[in-house]
Amino acid sequence: MPDANQAAVHGGAHVDIHNPNLQHHFNDMAQQQEASTLGMWVFLATEIMFFGGMFLCYILYRYWYHDGFVAGSHHLDLFWGALNTVILIVSSLTMAFAVRSAQLGNRRGLMVNLILTMGLGAAFLGIKAIEYSAKFRDKVIPGRHFEWHEVDPIGAQAFFSIYFAMTGMHALHMVVGLGIMSVILFMSWRGRFNETYYTPVEISGLYWHFVDIVWIFLFPLLYLLGRH
Amino acid sequence: MGRTLPLFPEAASTFAGNVDALYFFLVAVTAFFSVLIAGLVIFFAVKFRRRSPDEVGAPITGSLALELLWTIIPLILTMVMFVWGAWVFLDLARPPRGSMEIFVVGKQWMWKVQHPDGQREINELHVPVGRNVRLTIGSEDVIHSYYIPAFRQKIDAVPGKLTTMWFNASKAGEYHLFCAEYCGTKHSGMIGRIVAMEPDDFEQWLAGGAGSTPVAGGEQLFTDLACVTCHQSDTGGRGPVLNGIAGKAVLLADGSTVVADDNYLRESIMNPQAKIVAGYQPLMPTFQGLVNEEGLLQLIAYIKSLPSGGSGY
Amino acid sequence: MPSPHAPVTAPATNYLNATHGLASWLLTKDHKRIAILYLISITLFFGLGGLFAGIVRLELLTPQSDLLEPDTYNKMFTLHGVVMVFFFLIPSIPAVLGNWLMPVMIGAKDLAFPRINLISWYLYVIGGVLTLAAILGGGVDTGWTFYPPYSTVSPSHVILAGLGVFVAGFSSILTGLNFIVSVHRMRAPGLTWFRLPLFVWAHYATSLIMILGTPVIAITILLLALERGLGLGIFDPTRGGDPVLFQHLFWFYSHPAVYIMILPAMGVMSELVAAFSRKNVFGYSFVAFSSLGIAVLGFVVWGHHLFVSSQSAYMGLIFSILSMLVAIPSAVKVFNWTATLYKGSISWDAPMLYAIGFIGLFTIGGLTGLFLATMGLDIHVHDTYFVVAHFHYIMVGGAIFGYLGGLHYWWPKMTGKLYSEAWARVSAIVIFVGFNLTFFPQFIVGYLGMPRRYAMYPDEFQVLNVMSTAGATVLGVGYTLPLAYFIYSLVKGPAASANPWGAKGLEWTIPSPPPTENFLVTPIVTEPAYNYNPGREVEVA
Amino acid sequence: MEHAHENAGHHTHGHIAPLSMYYAVFGALMVGTAITVAVAYVDLGFVNTAVALGIAVTKATLVILYFMHVRWASRLTWVVIVGSLFWLILMFVIAMTDYLSRGWMGVPGR
Ligand code: HEA
Ligand code: HEA
Ligand code: CUA
Ligand SMILES: [Cu+2]
């Protein structure tokens, strides 16, 4: 290959070679930013498949145990579920604002919005905890002590197994999200971001929105279908 | 200690020959391509060996004609394999009507068998030569697999459902029975014998002490488990009459229909509320834990034996 | 070794000696050093997996279970499978050779995310430690496939081992992610897709499988752990679950995963065949696209593991025909490599011996895969030694031969040292002979009907099993030889020139071993890969 | 550094959308949520499911396109998203085909 024709650093790139945020193995900020966002999207693709495995379980058992699933979803608290949906959507909005503030180099806006986002995320988890404890009280925890006096106990148990697996995984992602947000908040407090460099904010935002999207599906699938 | 070196398994069922023919076809294809490719590689590697340190190869980049050739020929060959394999498979998979039906239950680590006439065996199976035999297989605990190499036949025993296999023994003799799906500690001890007997010998064997038949056992259970309280033609009302439902389409409460095959009957007993029969309430309790897999098979046999019924096989 | 081409004295500092101390290795972000970390760790796990294999083979010397209790035997083959698959073969080529070479081959200073690359190695180690903990705590006995409901009730350390696999899975996801982003965003100027070495294509395809498949096994194993640990009812039929659903989810990953194991080896093969016949790979674009074809088609054939599992017969037929189709791109590759040799300038160096071995053994392994994909036949041979022979032919005869070939080929580049060519040839031959003696008899004993995962077996299978055990002994010796002369070469081996094979490719334009940043000046690529005859490109029919 | 700013501004800045867009999308998401909840109280048979899933898909699409800026993203990003969703559906379809076609042969376990 190009034994003979190795050339100097490729043209046009050295302009921002001095940007302190440029890692040495990238040619320029554009390349670095594109790589990071692509990386995040590829990671989200893996997340889609990760949750996808549980959605497949959901589809199959809903098809098998229609009545048990309907009965199970009647047992969930629609009020809390809907409230959590609203909370997450608002948090997505504040997250989007956080990214926008970062794009504009508005550090205060960035931090305020991050804090709002985190607060909403924590509220979501708090409500989830309330819901979970109600389930414990009603003894609809799958396993040996599962109690069910309505139709199709086996199907209902399958429903609650899926319910806990899916919402549990989702909640775990929220917890991770809160961790990431704390780091971003810390970094922005330290003034690490400006309008030329805010990629971490942007890709953390992508993650947060993804977790929101998962809930956008979980809410109707678990709480709503077959209700009435 | 075995000092023999067998190279080919005994063939003792009607379709063993078909499976073996297919096998030989694939062996031939494999041998042909392996020899062809190994031959070419070695031939080229010798003929075009490097003769001076700076020598380079000829500038050949490719050939569309060759690419097409070695796409299409393997494609054709694999399609032959598929069609032939599917043909053999469909034969292996579909028990003919009127087969003699034997119930098999796998549990860690044994195979329990009940014949239609009531004989029971463990880790053995006596069958007559020349008759279609159909096994209905369940599992008490984990997944097992009923495997008779000499018959080239195998099916998993899956807990929570029933599976089927059939064969027609073509040669009297004793053959291996293996559990082929890993099932825990004594998986390799979950083995036994298949004894294929001439029809006369088999009749004699049958005569030697039968217990109660599966149908009779099922009838007994039907009373003991109080199924009768709801499912009796004259009590009318609580539960549907079971006469003649086996093999027929059942209309369900949500408007769909299912065929009442063995697995539907099984589910109706173990998880009755998964599918509610149209016009009835979900009253029937689950019998999970109250009846074991053998009992289930007997109940199913009994339901299928009810007048105007028929399994459809 | 051939006559060293244009000997270049290596510069005083290179990536190996640029910094010193353990911390400089354990905290390195240099893809080449991470590759070395991987090399060491997977070798340890290979030794461990091989140890378990040795125990399995020893037990199978006699029909009775006399050396081991059946329980111990079950743990041995389970651990052998788990360690070999998840901790050796899946990371082997991608994480060692791929990590080392991908940035170099695309003319970059490093992978896109060096820190994530290091994290991925740590995840691998954590996964390995969890699995080791499971082993030391008494082992697992579910088989590497972890099928419930047995795995839900098995009295062994399923959750711990499962967690190990789960964590190692994320290591593999991150590697794949890094490769994909790097290939898209980090290629040197002029390095268009169709100028990439086929090694890069193969790794790109592998990465697709890693990112789309691995998460599914992660969640599957997690669900299994939740079922076992917390009593959720996902796969257990007594709680309404379906054990066959686990099999679907498991094989949705694990069939494509077998292509994670073979595609990188195929990438190595393309490099070896080109370098040792000094010729461009015949039908470059067909070989390149067949990698993608295998990756994509490989995702839709998983049900061929479920032919007797009570899967619907019609779905079985669909899986069968799709499995036939996935064989076509593999066949295309084999034929193209063979054609590459035609009118080449072929040297018989050790890497080429492995390459030749690969072609033959992979052909046999692949074609016996077609026996299994043929439904009427798989009913009989499913879960017998025929299957065991099939996958060892591909995984040992194919993937490991590819790995060893690649390791021999790039060793001088990675370490700057030359190993003993004579010993390398001897070991290639010993491994080839030992391998066939071990696994060929298993085809026969498999068709005879000997089920796999059997600690005891009927007497008449003994002779074939003795042959197999004898072969495994030879094979084990064969594998220790490279270990010995590679280590020896590090101490006493002569220094390697920049391009000892006279091969083409960006990696051969930089010193051996290269400096930390690979290229002091970013290369500009102006020609296709394997351009051994600049300016003379002729198409012949 | 001034140059750096300019150059980076060309390549690295994602699209900066006006605030009004965010509010509009947010409003749509809220309305969608309200509709799904409301529809759940009316029995429309299978239409319930269709509406609920339809709205969920729409909401997700809005989030992806606007909050996650995919509308302005490179073609490659689109490929990644569409590709992974396609893969997911492939898994659903193939696995469910097995379950739906069980029993067609009329042989239990086939
Ligand atoms: C690297 C690993 C690897 C690879 C690449 C493959 C490749 C293939 N495998 Fe294999 N397989 C395994 C590893 C692998 N397998 C493992 C580990 C198991 C067991 C898992 C377990 O249960 O523990 C298994 C099990 C397995 C089964 C299930 C068996 C059973 O349990 O009953 C099946 C069934 O279809 C199968 C088929 C195939 C096919 C069709 C290919 C094809 O991709 C092969 C294609 C290659 C060729 C065809 C050769 C090249 C072609 C030519 C030289 C030209 C001539 C070509 C033609 C005429 C077509 N494999
Ligand atoms: C990458 C995959 C891989 C590899 C390389 C191997 C390698 C070998 N395998 Fe393995 N095998 C599997 C994957 C693999 N196997 C899988 C997935 C299963 C199924 C498991 C299950 O059923 O769940 C299986 C099952 C399996 C069985 C069937 C067990 C059963 O069903 O009961 C047997 C039996 O002979 C066997 C034998 C061997 C042998 C003899 C080797 C030999 O090639 C190994 C030779 C290697 C050595 C002897 C080590 C050499 C030593 C060194 C290199 C020194 C280095 C040491 C240190 C640095 C400490 N294997
Ligand atoms: Cu029962 Cu293996
Ligand atoms: Cu496979």
Side-chain angles (χ1 to χ4, degrees):
Chain A
M1 263 169 142
D3 326 46
N5 34 32
Q6 288 196 347
V9 186
H10 96 107
H14 31 66
V15 264
D16 53 12
I17 206 131
H18 302 299
N19 190 318
N21 294 307
L22 181 66
Q23 289 173 280
H24 83 281
H25 61 292
F26 288 112
N27 291 325
D28 53 45
M29 289 303 279
Q31 190 192 29
Q32 173 168 325
Q33 193 266 354
E34 282 170 10
S36 303
T37 30
L38 177 62
M40 193 63 200
W41 277 108
V42 172
F43 179 72
L44 293 184
T46 71
E47 288 278 28
I48 289 179
M49 297 307 289
F50 184 83
F51 279 97
M54 286 187 289
F55 278 104
L56 177 60
C57 298
Y58 175 91
I59 295 173
L60 173 64
Y61 294 137
R62 185 177 175 86
Y63 161 66
W64 272 7
Y65 304 121
H66 178 265
D67 297 349
F69 268 55
V70 170
S73 65
H74 270 276
H75 204 90
L76 299 184
D77 195 320
L78 186 54
F79 171 74
W80 288 128
L83 182 61
N84 254 350
T85 311
V86 171
I87 288 178
L88 268 197
I89 291 177
V90 179
S91 85
S92 256
L93 181 70
T94 56
M95 187 67 233
F97 282 157
V99 174
R100 189 170 181 278
S101 307
Q103 287 178 318
L104 296 170
N106 173 358
R107 182 166 142 224
R108 204 172 146 266
L110 169 60
M111 289 178 61
V112 168
N113 277 302
L114 280 177
I115 292 172
L116 282 176
T117 309
M118 290 171 67
L120 289 162
F124 176 94
L125 287 173
I127 291 179
K128 209 74 232 149
I130 296 176
E131 285 193 77
Y132 273 18
S133 59
K135 302 288 164 295
F136 270 94
R137 216 182 36 240
D138 299 349
K139 300 218 170 70
V140 288
I141 307 298
R144 222 169 298 122
H145 306 293
F146 185 76
E147 272 181 33
W148 190 253
H149 307 291
E150 294 161 50
V151 69
D152 196 359
I154 292 177
Q157 186 166 4
F159 174 82
F160 280 103
S161 297
I162 303 270
Y163 167 82
F164 279 108
M166 290 183 113
T167 56
M169 270 306 124
H170 178 262
L172 198 68
H173 276 76
M174 296 286 298
V175 173
V176 171
L178 287 180
I180 295 174
M181 289 306 148
S182 320
V183 174
I184 299 294
L185 184 63
F186 179 74
M187 286 170 83
S188 46
W189 177 64
R190 296 287 298 266
R192 285 292 310 279
F193 305 122
N194 56 44
E195 53 272 67
T196 68
Y197 177 68
Y198 55 85
T199 315
V201 186
E202 193 179 1
I203 62 177
S204 318
L206 292 181
Y207 176 85
W208 192 267
H209 294 305
F210 171 80
V211 179
D212 180 26
I213 290 175
V214 173
W215 184 260
I216 285 180
F217 282 97
L218 287 185
F219 173 57
L221 290 182
L222 294 173
Y223 290 76
L224 295 180
L225 288 198
R227 217 173 174 100
H228 49 257
Chain B
M1 283 246 216
R3 286 277 177 274
T4 52
L5 179 58
L7 295 175
F8 202 75
E10 231 170 326
S13 70
T14 46
F15 37 55
N18 293 342
V19 175
D20 290 343
L22 180 55
Y23 178 67
F24 286 126
F25 169 66
L26 273 128
V27 169
V29 172
T30 302
F32 175 76
F33 279 100
S34 305
V35 170
L36 175 76
I37 286 167
L40 282 177
V41 166
I42 291 172
F43 175 71
F44 289 159
V46 172
K47 173 125 197 275
F48 304 111
R49 66 187 175 279
R50 188 170 300 163
R51 289 159 207 271
S52 72
D54 289 326
E55 188 187 58
V56 295
I60 305 170
T61 52
S63 147
L64 186 62
L66 278 176
E67 301 290 349
L68 286 177
L69 183 75
W70 60 51
T71 304
I72 290 170
I73 290 182
L75 187 66
I76 293 173
L77 281 170
T78 54
M79 287 308 111
V80 173
M81 294 173 195
F82 166 72
V83 173
W84 190 346
W87 177 73
V88 172
F89 168 77
L90 289 174
D91 188 19
L92 286 157
R94 288 183 298 193
R97 278 164 192 280
S99 303
M100 159 181 166
E101 188 172 3
I102 300 179
F103 294 126
V104 177
V105 173
K107 73 179 267 201
Q108 285 174 324
W109 287 276
M110 62 174 84
W111 295 105
K112 297 199 277 188
V113 175
Q114 188 172 16
H115 286 260
D117 291 336
Q119 286 78 7
R120 289 166 176 274
E121 329 182 43
I122 287 183
N123 289 344
E124 290 200 356
L125 174 64
H126 288 74
V127 288
V129 167
R131 258 187 84 183
N132 296 333
V133 175
R134 171 178 169 217
L135 308 182
T136 297
I137 304 175
S139 165
E140 289 278 347
D141 35 44
V142 302
I143 305 178
H144 306 273
S145 193
Y146 202 79
Y147 177 31
I148 313 170
F151 295 173
R152 313 284 188 273
Q153 195 40 313
K154 176 188 293 130
I155 188 87
D156 280 5
V158 185
K161 67 159 78 167
L162 299 172
T163 53
T164 322
M165 92 155 153
W166 82 281
F167 52 79
N168 185 328
S170 58
K171 207 164 87 185
E174 287 189 12
Y175 309 106
H176 286 298
L177 161 65
F178 293 127
C179 173
E181 179 62 57
Y182 177 67
C183 54
T185 308
K186 290 203 202 118
H187 163 60
S188 60
M190 194 166 163
I191 59 175
R193 296 193 298 162
I194 305 291
V195 186
M197 311 169 96
E198 294 302 339
D200 294 345
D201 300 341
F202 183 71
E203 288 309 323
Q204 225 170 345
W205 178 83
L206 277 186
S212 71
T213 65
V215 173
E219 188 166 14
Q220 185 68 39
L221 278 171
F222 206 72
T223 325
D224 292 351
L225 293 168
C227 315
V228 269
T229 50
C230 304
H231 294 290
Q232 210 157 38
S233 29
D234 45 4
T235 52
R238 289 231 271 172
V241 178
L242 300 179
N243 288 44
I245 61 159
K248 299 279 150 51
V250 176
L251 182 64
L252 299 182
D254 64 5
S256 59
T257 52
V258 284
V259 175
D261 63 4
D262 293 1
N263 270 322
Y264 169 80
L265 296 178
R266 189 189 179 287
E267 187 187 38
S268 294
I269 302 169
M270 297 306 259
N271 187 13
Q273 305 193 350
K275 299 196 178 77
I276 307 292
V277 181
Y280 292 89
Q281 291 304 307
L283 291 176
M284 176 165 160
T286 172
F287 285 83
Q288 199 170 31
L290 298 176
V291 53
N292 62 13
E293 209 67 29
E294 267 177 286
L296 266 172
L297 285 167
Q298 294 176 342
L299 279 171
I300 291 169
Y302 170 65
I303 294 172
K304 291 206 294 200
S305 77
L306 291 171
S308 86
S311 75
Y313 297 108
Chain C
M1 289 295 206
S3 72
H5 258 247
V8 179
T9 34
T13 55
N14 56 53
Y15 82 102
L16 292 170
N17 64 12
T19 49
H20 292 281
L22 196 60
S24 79
W25 280 87
L26 293 182
L27 298 177
T28 184
K29 284 186 267 166
D30 179 356
H31 66 100
K32 300 183 288 303
R33 283 192 165 199
I34 297 174
I36 303 289
L37 292 177
Y38 263 117
L39 175 64
I40 296 169
S41 31
I42 71 159
T43 306
L44 292 176
F45 275 103
F46 178 64
L48 191 64
L51 180 72
F52 292 133
I55 299 176
V56 162
R57 277 316 330 162
L58 271 183
E59 164 60 47
L60 293 177
L61 207 48
T62 59
Q64 303 79 20
S65 81
D66 32 20
L67 178 67
L68 307 172
E69 293 294 309
D71 223 9
T72 322
Y73 178 82
N74 296 343
K75 287 175 178 162
M76 288 303 126
F77 72 71
T78 301
L79 294 170
H80 166 65
V82 168
V83 166
M84 283 296 199
V85 169
F86 295 110
F87 295 97
F88 171 65
L89 201 50
I90 285 181
S92 63
I93 299 182
V96 178
L97 299 176
N99 237 333
W100 207 100
L101 288 159
M102 287 289 279
V104 179
M105 284 185 169
I106 62 176
K109 295 197 183 98
D110 206 322
L111 286 173
F113 310 114
R115 196 178 299 127
I116 287 183
N117 199 15
L118 181 64
I119 292 176
S120 122
W121 180 71
Y122 275 102
L123 287 175
Y124 170 84
V125 172
I126 295 172
V129 168
L130 286 170
T131 305
L132 280 177
I135 294 174
L136 295 176
V140 221
D141 72 340
T142 58
W144 81 283
T145 46
F146 294 108
Y147 277 12
Y150 182 66
S151 54
T152 338
V153 297
S154 156
S156 60
H157 295 278
V158 180
I159 294 188
L160 208 52
L163 226 53
V165 172
F166 178 87
V167 175
F170 279 91
S171 152
S172 145
I173 290 177
L174 294 182
T175 303
L177 189 153
N178 232 329
F179 285 171
I180 288 194
V181 175
S182 304
V183 173
H184 275 288
R185 293 286 183 242
M186 313 277 292
R187 276 172 288 130
L191 189 48
T192 56
W193 283 84
F194 289 99
R195 286 178 178 173
L196 287 172
L198 289 165
F199 182 89
V200 177
W201 275 93
H203 275 74
Y204 184 82
T206 309
S207 307
L208 289 179
I209 305 177
M210 285 174 163
I211 60 161
L212 291 170
T214 319
V216 176
I217 187 122
I219 187 63
T220 309
I221 290 192
L222 206 65
L223 289 174
L224 184 68
L226 289 177
E227 169 160 312
R228 214 184 134 86
L230 301 181
L232 297 194
I234 312 270
F235 304 121
D236 179 355
T238 61
R239 276 171 276 175
D242 180 24
V244 180
L245 180 61
F246 176 92
Q247 300 179 17
H248 274 299
L249 287 166
F250 181 86
W251 292 111
F252 179 84
Y253 164 74
S254 293
H255 181 81
V258 309
Y259 297 118
I260 296 184
M261 307 180 218
I262 202 67
L263 275 170
M266 291 169 154
V268 170
M269 277 298 297
S270 300
E271 300 300 312
L272 294 183
V273 167
F276 292 93
S277 35
R278 298 242 178 95
K279 211 164 148 284
N280 53 315
V281 173
F282 195 88
Y284 172 97
S285 50
F286 289 91
V287 178
F289 279 115
S290 63
S291 289
L292 292 183
I294 291 175
V296 171
L297 274 176
F299 265 103
V300 293
V301 307
W302 76 80
H304 65 211
H305 296 269
L306 281 72
F307 285 154
V308 302
S309 73
S310 81
Q311 167 181 255
S312 122
Y314 295 101
M315 203 55 223
L317 290 170
I318 296 175
F319 279 127
S320 171
I321 196 168
L322 289 168
S323 306
M324 297 295 171
L325 293 183
V326 79
I328 306 302
S330 305
V332 166
K333 278 184 192 281
V334 170
F335 288 118
N336 276 302
W337 293 323
T338 310
T340 305
L341 301 183
Y342 176 71
K343 289 197 176 170
S345 160
I346 297 165
S347 84
W348 287 70
D349 295 310
M352 189 58 167
L353 294 187
Y354 283 105
I356 292 174
F358 177 105
I359 296 182
L361 300 180
F362 174 74
T363 301
I364 299 179
L367 284 163
T368 52
L370 294 177
F371 287 57
L372 304 172
T374 304
M375 285 188 88
L377 214 47
D378 187 60
I379 303 295
H380 175 51
V381 290
H382 168 74
D383 267 348
T384 65
Y385 266 81
F386 194 92
V387 178
V388 175
H390 152 67
F391 66 72
H392 283 93
Y393 260 81
I394 293 201
M395 302 207 293
V396 181
I400 295 193
F401 271 60
Y403 172 64
L404 285 176
L407 206 56
H408 282 82
Y409 176 50
W410 284 294
W411 185 262
K413 178 57 62 185
M414 295 168 75
T415 64
K417 300 288 186 179
L418 298 176
Y419 52 83
S420 153
E421 174 67 21
W423 275 108
R425 291 187 195 183
V426 169
S427 86
I429 292 166
V430 172
I431 293 177
F432 184 83
V433 172
F435 170 81
N436 282 293
L437 185 55
T438 313
F439 294 109
F440 196 81
Q442 296 186 357
F443 282 124
I444 300 172
V445 85
Y447 199 75
L448 281 171
M450 176 168 163
R452 54 192 286 209
R453 301 171 169 176
Y454 260 33
M456 305 176 278
Y457 55 87
D459 288 352
E460 72 250 34
F461 301 145
Q462 187 176 11
V463 175
L464 290 161
N465 272 290
V466 170
M467 288 163 73
S468 187
T469 302
T473 318
V474 178
L475 188 55
V477 172
Y479 282 133
T480 41
L481 289 179
L483 193 72
Y485 60 73
F486 274 148
I487 292 177
Y488 182 82
S489 80
L490 293 180
V491 191
K492 288 264 171 69
S497 65
N499 189 358
W501 311 109
K504 285 278 182 176
L506 279 177
E507 74 270 30
W508 301 111
T509 65
I510 56 177
S512 306
T516 304
E517 53 278 10
N518 299 343
F519 301 96
L520 297 175
V521 280
T522 308
I524 293 181
V525 179
T526 56
E527 52 177 8
Y530 321 117
N531 194 12
Y532 284 93
N533 305 80
R536 291 200 300 141
E537 276 171 46
V538 192
E539 173 101 5
V540 297
Chain D
M1 279 313 278
E2 271 165 32
H3 267 283
H5 183 178
E6 246 180 53
N7 176 291
H10 259 290
H11 298 276
T12 52
H13 271 193
H15 179 87
I16 303 184
L19 281 178
S20 56
M21 181 208 84
Y22 288 102
Y23 284 120
V25 172
F26 174 71
L29 292 174
M30 289 315 236
V31 171
T33 310
I35 296 178
T36 8
V37 175
V39 167
Y41 285 102
V42 207
D43 188 355
L44 300 169
F46 77 95
V47 179
N48 281 101
T49 310
V51 170
L53 288 181
I55 292 181
V57 170
T58 315
K59 281 161 70 182
T61 314
L62 286 175
V63 173
I64 292 174
L65 286 182
Y66 296 100
F67 283 3
M68 297 168 98
H69 296 179
V70 169
R71 233 197 104 176
W72 303 277
S74 66
R75 216 177 59 208
L76 188 57
T77 312
W78 284 80
V79 172
V80 173
I81 298 169
V82 175
S84 51
L85 290 175
F86 175 76
W87 236 242
L88 182 71
I89 290 169
L90 200 70
M91 174 169 89
F92 291 168
V93 169
I94 296 183
M96 286 313 292
T97 308
D98 170 23
Y99 289 97
L100 292 167
S101 62
R102 286 193 188 170
W104 285 6
M105 189 170 263
V107 181
R110 292 287 188 197

